[in-house]
């Protein structure tokens, strides 16, 4: 991250100052070279500027579990992507203290033609887990995901629940101080959600900083110390989870 | 951090390599079949029909084809790989360059296997290696660097302009005929040779044949020019790619 770093006191894990993300949407989107060339000649470039995030500032203390709520398209994923360094903000600055987990959602990089075991190595590499650690922990990971019998089965034959359990089981092998999680409970079943919830509880106890974007308000309410409400790219509220959720629901 | 990227490159390229042959009947054989079929066609047309007179024409052709296939397939794959790995790029902070390198490494596997098979076959036909062959790895390295540099230039273009992929296909068709694959560069009219030899792929293929078929080292001056062109392209490619790096993923 080469953004200008705001001053940080050691108790702060994440600080964002006036972060904005602007997308320029051409009225007629030119995707082919011919259209671009024609566009330059005719000088008819008109853009609509769209604020995916607008002047968002906040700070999150170390060890806090923060809920992130808002309607579809309110900027939740954009915010998490900026914080994780995947996309740069258009303006503003942010700083993170501690190791940030290199993913937002689960199962990214999984390939359906590869077996469970092969996928763990591949996904593990993407998450930054050394190959030998995966080899050493392979049985534990498969046991946690409850797919031990299927270790050599291709992922395309797995149910979507099995895939997300596998992804979750591997995710908890990563050693990060800050976790930015985007709708990770969207596909779990009734057994898996409490199981993974217990892990997140353990994370909270271990003092990790967590930002959890979800539409599952009950989950946010029971888990998060504080909650952020985004509305059309603006930070509408940030504070006590109950109050923020009440405000969101009232809308 | 660097070690972590090396692991991603290894897993991605090895995974792609496995996937390419999973469930196929001929498996690895496909990477030999393609150059062999291309060789047969070109050989019949140019040797039997058009009576081209080049010594050891089959080997001559085959060397050109193997290097050509590597360059053409690797550059095309690097474009497609960007889209195939879009979910990784969009959802993790893996930099695009890691995916690009993994794509080239994957193409390199096939290239090296084909080369090993080539030398095995040519030895069966009584090919005697000379000292010049020690220089061959350098030529392979130049081919890899060239391919990487070209990929770094074309991938951002193809992500930005959806029709670039078609243009690249046409460009490759043209490049095939302005590269001495089926003919010798002596056949090019003297007035154009100077320009013709600015094509780094042509220079690399010519040097590869000098080393293998003539058993001679390439001329120092010529090889230095080749290295110069390739390094210049690499520098230009890195410059261009760095400028597009940030917005690349958003445009995918």
């Amino acid at each position: 991250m080469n953004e200008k770093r705001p001053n940080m006191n050691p108790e702060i894990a994440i600080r964002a100052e006036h972060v904005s993300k602007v997308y320029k949407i051409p009225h007629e989107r030119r995707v082919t070279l011919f259209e671009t060339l024609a566009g330059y000649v005719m000088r008819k470039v008109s853009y609509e500027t769209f604020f995916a995030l607008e002047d968002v500032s906040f700070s999150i203390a170390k060890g806090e579990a923060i809920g992130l709520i808002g309607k579809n398209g309110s900027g939740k994923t954009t915010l998490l992507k900026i914080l994780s360094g995947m996309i740069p903000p258009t303006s503003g600055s942010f700083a993170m203290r501690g190791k940030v987990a290199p993913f937002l959602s689960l199962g990214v990089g999984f390939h359906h033609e590869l077996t469970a075991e092969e996928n763990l190595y591949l996904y593990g590499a993407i998450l930054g887990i050394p190959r030998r650690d995966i080899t050493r922990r392979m049985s534990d990971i498969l046991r946690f995901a409850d797919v031990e019998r299927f270790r050599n089965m291709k992922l395309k034959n797995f149910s979507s629940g099995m895939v997300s359990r596998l992804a979750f089981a591997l995710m908890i092998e990563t050693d990060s101080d800050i976790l930015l999680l985007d709708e990770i409970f969207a596909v779990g079943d009734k057994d898996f959600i409490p199981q993974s919830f217990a892990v997140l509880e353990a994370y909270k106890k271990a003092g990790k900083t967590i930002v959890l974007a979800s539409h599952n308000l009950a989950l946010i309410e029971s888990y998060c110390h504080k909650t952020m409400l985004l509305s059309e790219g603006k930070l509408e509220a940030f504070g006590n989870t109950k109050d923020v959720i009440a405000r969101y629901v009232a809308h | 951090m660097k070690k972590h990227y090396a692991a991603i490159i290894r897993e991605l390229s090895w995974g792609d390599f496995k996937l390419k042959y999973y469930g196929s009947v001929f498996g690895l054989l496909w990477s030999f079949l393609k150059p062999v079929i291309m060789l047969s066609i070109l050989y019949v047309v140019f040797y039997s029909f058009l009576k081209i007179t080049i010594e050891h024409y089959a080997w001559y052709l085959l060397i050109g084809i193997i290097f050509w296939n590597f360059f053409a397939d690797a550059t095309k794959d690097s474009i497609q790989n960007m889209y195939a790995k879009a979910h990784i790029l969009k959802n993790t902070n893996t930099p695009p360059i890691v995916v690009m390198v993994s794509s080239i490494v994957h193409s390199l596997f096939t290239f090296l296997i084909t080369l090993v098979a080539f030398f095995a076959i040519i030895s069966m036909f009584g090919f005697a290696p000379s000292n010049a062959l020690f220089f061959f790895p350098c030529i392979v390295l130049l081919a890899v660097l060239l391919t990487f540099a070209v990929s770094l230039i074309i991938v951002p273009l193809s992500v930005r302009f959806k029709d670039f992929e078609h243009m690249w296909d046409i460009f490759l068709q043209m490049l095939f005929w302005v590269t001495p694959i089926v003919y010798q560069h002596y056949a090019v009219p003297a007035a154009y040779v100077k320009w013709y030899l600015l094509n780094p792929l042509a220079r690399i293929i010519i040097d590869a044949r000098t080393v293998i078929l003539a058993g001679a080292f390439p001329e120092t001056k010529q090889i230095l020019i080749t290295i110069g062109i390739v390094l210049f392209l690499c520098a230009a490619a890195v410059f261009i790619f760095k400028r597009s790096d940030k917005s690349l993923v958003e445009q995918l």
Side-chain angles (χ1 to χ4, degrees):
Chain A
M1 266 161 271
N2 37 26
E3 279 75 22
K4 208 180 115 236
R5 280 159 177 268
N7 289 331
M8 269 179 102
N9 94 40
E11 292 308 308
I12 300 293
I14 306 174
R15 164 167 284 168
E17 279 178 6
H18 309 294
V19 169
S20 292
K21 181 71 189 176
V22 181
Y23 287 104
K24 277 188 191 168
I25 306 166
H27 278 135
E28 277 174 64
R29 178 156 158 69
R30 288 169 293 150
V31 283
T32 71
L33 194 56
F34 177 77
E35 284 168 336
T36 304
L37 292 176
Y40 284 133
V41 176
M42 324 237 260
R43 300 263 170 204
K44 268 203 314 192
V45 193
S46 62
Y47 287 110
E48 197 162 329
T49 48
F50 166 72
F51 279 86
L53 282 178
E54 195 175 345
D55 198 22
V56 171
S57 304
F58 57 85
S59 57
I60 294 172
K62 219 175 132 222
E64 270 186 323
I66 305 294
L68 182 55
I69 57 175
K71 291 181 190 150
N72 289 329
S74 57
K76 301 188 294 294
T77 302
T78 306
L79 178 60
L80 293 181
K81 282 193 171 181
I82 288 175
L83 293 179
S84 68
M86 281 171 216
I87 57 173
T90 310
S91 62
S93 59
F94 67 97
M96 317 280 282
R97 184 180 292 272
K99 190 168 176 259
V100 185
F103 57 90
L104 298 180
S105 43
L106 297 177
V108 169
F110 271 180
H111 200 296
H112 289 259
E113 289 289 335
L114 295 172
T115 67
E117 217 169 320
E118 287 168 332
N119 265 302
L120 288 179
Y121 284 117
L122 177 63
Y123 191 28
I126 290 167
L127 298 187
I129 311 170
R131 197 178 171 89
R132 56 168 192 284
D133 287 4
I134 304 248
T135 310
R136 191 164 48 82
R137 303 267 305 141
M138 181 63 79
S139 311
D140 295 331
I141 298 171
L142 292 168
R143 195 176 315 125
F144 185 89
D146 196 22
V147 291
E148 279 164 296
R149 286 180 298 138
F150 311 114
R151 62 192 298 161
N152 291 316
M153 190 161 97
K154 281 187 190 178
L155 219 61
K156 65 177 174 187
N157 300 321
F158 276 45
S159 75
S160 57
M162 285 158 78
V163 174
S164 37
R165 289 207 302 270
L166 193 65
F168 191 89
L170 185 62
M171 180 204 88
I172 61 177
E173 295 291 316
T174 57
D175 177 32
S176 316
D177 307 314
I178 300 174
L179 288 128
L180 308 165
L181 303 172
D182 192 9
E183 277 299 352
I184 59 164
F185 296 111
V187 280
D189 64 13
K190 71 169 177 53
D191 293 333
F192 175 63
I193 290 179
Q195 190 188 2
S196 42
F197 197 67
V199 174
L200 286 190
E201 283 294 343
Y203 277 0
K204 202 158 73 173
K205 283 205 183 76
K208 291 180 195 278
T209 310
I210 296 161
V211 180
L212 181 65
S214 181
H215 289 292
N216 185 340
L217 298 178
L219 179 85
I220 300 262
E221 189 160 354
S222 65
Y223 184 69
C224 299
H225 300 115
K226 286 160 84 183
T227 293
M228 280 188 221
L229 170 61
L230 282 174
S231 171
E232 290 171 1
K234 294 188 197 76
L235 184 59
E236 195 165 299
F238 182 25
N240 179 284
T241 296
K242 266 211 168 78
D243 302 342
V244 175
I245 287 180
R247 188 165 169 178
Y248 175 55
V249 174
H251 261 275
Chain B
M1 206 61 164
K2 278 216 174 107
K3 199 175 164 195
H4 166 210
Y5 290 156
I8 299 180
I9 291 167
R10 188 188 59 213
E11 296 297 335
L12 282 180
S13 51
W14 181 235
D16 282 345
F17 187 71
K18 275 192 288 193
L19 284 169
K20 195 166 161 189
Y21 301 111
Y22 255 165
S24 78
V25 181
F26 291 110
L28 207 58
L29 214 61
W30 279 114
S31 39
F32 308 125
L33 229 50
K34 199 180 159 194
V36 165
I37 289 168
M38 208 166 153
L39 171 71
S40 322
I41 296 168
L42 293 173
Y43 190 83
V44 169
V45 172
F46 286 90
Y47 194 77
S48 309
F49 297 176
L50 295 174
K51 313 281 183 230
I52 204 164
T53 49
I54 294 174
E55 235 192 323
H56 308 301
Y57 189 56
W59 304 136
Y60 183 92
L61 258 180
L62 197 49
I63 294 170
I65 289 171
I66 291 172
F67 275 81
W68 169 259
N69 277 349
F70 169 62
F71 179 79
D73 291 348
T75 50
K76 278 192 278 189
D77 282 354
S78 69
I79 294 176
Q80 269 150 27
N81 207 31
M82 218 56 194
Y83 291 100
K85 305 287 186 289
H87 59 293
I88 297 178
L89 292 169
K90 280 172 178 273
N91 294 297
T92 70
N93 56 8
T94 310
I97 189 112
V98 169
V99 170
M100 305 250 340
V101 174
S102 83
S103 170
I104 301 288
V105 170
H106 167 229
S107 302
L108 185 60
F109 286 149
T110 312
F111 183 41
L112 292 179
I113 291 170
T114 329
L115 281 175
V116 169
F118 169 77
F119 281 111
I121 294 168
I122 203 171
S123 321
M124 284 195 297
F125 283 88
F127 161 76
S130 74
N131 279 341
L133 216 52
F134 285 116
F135 194 71
F136 189 67
C138 295
I139 296 173
V140 171
L141 181 66
L142 282 173
V144 173
L145 285 177
L146 172 68
T147 307
F148 185 51
V150 170
S151 301
L152 283 184
I153 296 170
I154 64 170
V155 164
L157 283 172
S158 71
V159 170
R160 175 69 184 81
F161 303 108
K162 301 294 177 217
D163 43 6
F164 186 83
E165 213 179 322
H166 306 295
M167 285 170 55
W168 185 245
D169 269 344
I170 296 166
F171 178 81
L172 281 177
Q173 274 185 35
M174 296 195 295
L175 189 67
F176 183 86
W177 296 106
V178 292
T179 302
I181 295 165
V182 294
Y183 58 88
Q184 285 177 302
H185 67 281
Y186 307 118
V188 177
Y192 302 120
V193 168
K194 202 170 66 182
W195 302 108
Y196 182 88
L197 287 179
L198 280 178
N199 170 5
L201 190 64
R203 307 182 66 91
I204 287 171
I205 290 177
I206 291 168
D207 289 339
R209 285 174 179 145
T210 308
V211 165
I212 299 171
L213 296 179
F217 284 97
E219 262 179 73
T220 316
K221 187 188 156 199
Q222 293 303 322
I223 198 73
L224 286 179
I225 296 175
T226 314
I227 293 172
I229 294 175
V230 170
L231 289 185
F232 170 77
L233 277 175
C234 285
V238 168
F239 178 75
I240 292 174
F241 191 77
K242 269 199 170 158
R243 288 192 56 182
S244 66
D245 200 19
K246 286 263 175 193
S247 56
L248 194 63
V249 176
E250 288 174 55
Q251 289 173 356
L252 262 178

